[in-house]
Amino acid sequence: MSTDVRMTAWVRGVVQGVGFRWFTRARALEIGGLSGFAANLGDGRVQIVAEGPRAQCQELLEWLRSADTPGRVSGVTEIWDEPRGGYHSFAIR
């Protein structure tokens, strides 16, 4: 039985204006079992909040750190927490 978690990641680099949030949502839906959102921040980063099974959150995090993302990622910082709920799907904000 997998334990649900909340993974919050902040992605730095050239990640706004390149479809990053759209592709992140598409990847989260492809992985399956995740809810949350991807949002642009005022400082140029993208914040991703994903809740679901740890393995699926880890897979999304690995994708965020890969060369397969749009734009140019220079770094990803993440924190893990207990899920808070309240998300019905994976959205773009």
Side-chain angles (χ1 to χ4, degrees), residues 38-79:
N40 285 339
L41 299 177
D43 62 4
R45 295 177 299 162
V46 173
Q47 178 184 23
I48 293 97
V49 173
E51 291 190 356
R54 180 174 283 277
Q56 280 89 328
C57 287
Q58 185 66 44
E59 185 175 343
L60 181 62
L61 180 62
E62 289 170 9
W63 178 81
L64 292 170
R65 290 185 166 138
S66 76
D68 293 336
T69 60
R72 191 173 59 248
V73 173
S74 61
V76 179
T77 303
E78 91 278 354
I79 60 171

Side-chain angles (χ1 to χ4, degrees), residues 13-36:
V14 180
V15 291
Q16 290 190 11
V18 295
F20 197 91
R21 293 176 300 155
W22 188 91
F23 280 99
T24 299
R25 179 181 181 272
R27 184 67 182 132
L29 294 174
E30 182 181 310
I31 291 168
L34 297 174
S35 60

Side-chain angles (χ1 to χ4, degrees), residues 25 28-29 33-38 49-51 86-93:
R25 179 181 181 272
L29 294 174
L34 297 174
S35 60
F37 65 88
V49 173
E51 291 190 356
Y87 306 112
H88 301 291
S89 64
F90 202 94
I92 295 172
R93 291 187 177 172

